[in-house]
Coordinates of all heavy atoms in Angstrom, one line a residue:
D127 N -3.6 -26.1 -33.1 CA -4.4 -25.6 -32.0 C -4.4 -26.6 -30.8 O -4.3 -26.3 -29.7 CB -5.8 -25.4 -32.4 CG -5.9 -24.2 -33.4 OD1 -5.0 -23.4 -33.4 OD2 -6.9 -24.1 -34.1
I145 N 11.5 -17.5 0.9 CA 10.3 -16.8 1.2 C 9.9 -17.0 2.7 O 9.6 -16.1 3.4 CB 9.1 -17.3 0.3 CG1 9.4 -17.0 -1.1 CG2 7.8 -16.7 0.8 CD1 8.4 -17.5 -2.1
S151 N 9.8 -15.1 11.5 CA 11.0 -15.0 12.3 C 11.4 -16.3 12.9 O 12.6 -16.5 13.2 CB 10.7 -14.0 13.4 OG 9.6 -14.4 14.2
E154 N 8.2 -23.5 11.9 CA 7.5 -24.4 12.8 C 8.4 -25.3 13.5 O 8.2 -25.7 14.7 CB 6.5 -25.2 11.9 CG 5.3 -24.4 11.4 CD 4.3 -25.3 10.6 OE1 4.4 -26.5 10.7 OE2 3.4 -24.7 10.0
K190 N -3.1 -25.3 14.8 CA -1.6 -25.4 14.6 C -1.0 -25.3 16.0 O -1.0 -24.2 16.6 CB -1.1 -24.3 13.7 CG -1.3 -24.6 12.2 CD -0.4 -23.7 11.3 CE -0.5 -24.2 9.9 NZ 0.4 -23.4 9.0
E207 N 6.2 10.3 5.4 CA 5.5 10.6 6.7 C 4.3 9.7 7.0 O 4.1 9.3 8.1 CB 5.1 12.1 6.7 CG 4.5 12.6 8.0 CD 4.3 14.1 8.1 OE1 4.8 14.8 7.2 OE2 3.7 14.5 9.0
G213 N 3.4 3.1 11.1 CA 4.2 2.1 11.8 C 5.1 1.4 10.8 O 5.7 0.4 11.1
G261 N 14.1 -15.8 -6.4 CA 14.5 -16.2 -7.8 C 13.4 -16.0 -8.8 O 13.7 -16.1 -10.0
D279 N -5.4 6.9 -17.0 CA -4.0 6.4 -17.2 C -3.0 7.5 -17.1 O -1.9 7.3 -16.5 CB -4.0 5.8 -18.6 CG -4.6 4.4 -18.6 OD1 -4.6 3.7 -17.6 OD2 -5.2 4.0 -19.7
D290 N 0.1 -1.5 -17.4 CA 0.1 -2.8 -17.9 C 0.1 -3.8 -16.8 O -0.2 -5.0 -17.0 CB 1.4 -3.1 -18.8 CG 1.3 -2.2 -20.1 OD1 0.2 -1.8 -20.4 OD2 2.4 -2.0 -20.7
D302 N -22.0 -9.1 -6.9 CA -20.9 -9.5 -7.8 C -19.6 -9.0 -7.4 O -18.6 -9.7 -7.6 CB -21.3 -9.0 -9.2 CG -22.6 -9.5 -9.8 OD1 -22.9 -10.6 -9.4 OD2 -23.2 -8.8 -10.6
E335 N -35.3 -3.1 -8.6 CA -36.6 -2.5 -8.1 C -36.7 -1.0 -8.3 O -37.8 -0.5 -8.2 CB -36.8 -2.8 -6.6 CG -37.0 -4.3 -6.3 CD -37.4 -4.6 -4.9 OE1 -37.3 -3.6 -4.1 OE2 -37.7 -5.7 -4.6
R379 N -20.5 10.0 5.1 CA -21.9 10.4 5.0 C -22.3 11.1 6.4 O -21.5 11.1 7.3 CB -22.8 9.2 4.8 CG -22.6 8.5 3.5 CD -23.1 9.3 2.3 NE -23.1 8.5 1.1 CZ -22.1 8.5 0.2 NH1 -21.0 9.3 0.4 NH2 -22.1 7.8 -0.9
G387 N -23.2 15.8 19.0 CA -22.1 14.9 18.6 C -21.8 15.0 17.1 O -22.3 15.8 16.3
T408 N -9.2 10.6 6.3 CA -8.7 11.8 5.7 C -9.4 13.1 6.2 O -10.5 13.0 6.7 CB -8.8 11.8 4.1 OG1 -10.2 11.6 3.8 CG2 -8.1 10.6 3.5
Q409 N -8.7 14.2 6.2 CA -9.2 15.4 6.7 C -9.2 16.5 5.6 O -8.6 16.3 4.6 CB -8.4 15.8 7.9 CG -8.5 14.8 9.1 CD -7.6 15.2 10.3 OE1 -6.6 15.9 10.1 NE2 -7.9 14.7 11.4
M451 N 1.3 18.0 -2.2 CA 1.4 17.6 -3.5 C 1.1 18.7 -4.5 O 0.2 19.5 -4.3 CB 0.3 16.5 -3.7 CG 0.4 15.9 -5.1 SD -1.0 14.7 -5.4 CE -2.4 15.8 -5.5
K461 N 3.4 18.4 -12.0 CA 2.1 18.1 -11.4 C 2.1 16.7 -10.9 O 2.6 15.7 -11.5 CB 1.0 18.2 -12.5 CG -0.4 17.9 -12.0 CD -1.4 18.2 -13.1 CE -1.3 17.1 -14.2 NZ -2.4 17.2 -15.2
E466 N 8.3 16.2 0.0 CA 8.6 15.8 1.4 C 10.0 16.1 1.8 O 10.6 15.4 2.7 CB 8.3 14.3 1.6 CG 8.9 13.4 0.6 CD 8.4 11.9 0.7 OE1 7.5 11.7 1.6 OE2 8.9 11.1 0.0
C477 N 18.5 10.7 12.3 CA 19.3 9.5 12.1 C 20.8 9.7 12.2 O 21.6 8.8 12.1 CB 19.0 8.9 10.7 SG 17.3 8.2 10.6
I481 N 26.6 15.3 7.6 CA 27.9 15.8 8.0 C 28.0 17.2 7.4 O 27.8 17.5 6.3 CB 29.0 14.9 7.4 CG1 28.9 13.5 7.8 CG2 30.4 15.5 7.7 CD1 29.9 12.6 7.1
K487 N 29.0 23.7 3.1 CA 28.8 22.5 2.3 C 28.5 21.3 3.2 O 28.8 21.3 4.4 CB 30.1 22.2 1.5 CG 30.4 23.2 0.5 CD 31.7 22.9 -0.3 CE 32.0 23.9 -1.4 NZ 32.4 25.2 -0.8
D492 N 28.1 7.2 5.5 CA 27.8 5.8 5.1 C 26.8 5.2 6.1 O 26.8 5.6 7.3 CB 29.0 4.9 5.0 CG 29.9 5.2 3.8 OD1 29.3 5.6 2.8 OD2 31.1 5.1 3.9
T501 N 26.2 10.3 -8.3 CA 27.4 10.7 -9.2 C 27.6 12.2 -9.1 O 26.7 13.0 -9.3 CB 27.1 10.3 -10.6 OG1 26.8 8.9 -10.7 CG2 28.3 10.6 -11.5
M534 N 21.4 18.5 -1.9 CA 21.5 17.1 -1.4 C 20.2 16.4 -1.4 O 20.1 15.3 -1.9 CB 22.0 17.2 0.1 CG 22.1 15.9 0.7 SD 22.4 16.0 2.5 CE 20.9 16.7 3.1
L535 N 19.1 17.1 -1.0 CA 17.8 16.5 -1.0 C 17.3 16.2 -2.4 O 16.7 15.2 -2.6 CB 16.8 17.4 -0.3 CG 17.0 17.6 1.2 CD1 16.1 18.7 1.8 CD2 16.8 16.3 2.0
A554 N 14.9 2.2 10.7 CA 15.6 2.9 11.8 C 14.6 3.4 12.9 O 14.8 3.2 14.1 CB 16.5 4.0 11.3
A582 N -24.0 17.1 27.5 CA -25.2 17.8 27.2 C -26.4 17.1 27.8 O -27.3 17.7 28.4 CB -25.4 17.9 25.7

Side-chain angles (χ1 to χ4, degrees):
D127 292 340
I145 296 174
S151 56
E154 290 186 11
K190 281 197 173 184
E207 186 168 349
D279 282 330
D290 295 339
D302 298 331
E335 293 189 351
R379 298 285 191 269
T408 58
Q409 296 176 338
M451 183 185 73
K461 181 176 70 173
E466 49 187 2
C477 292
I481 302 172
K487 295 181 178 67
D492 282 332
T501 304
M534 176 191 69
L535 294 172

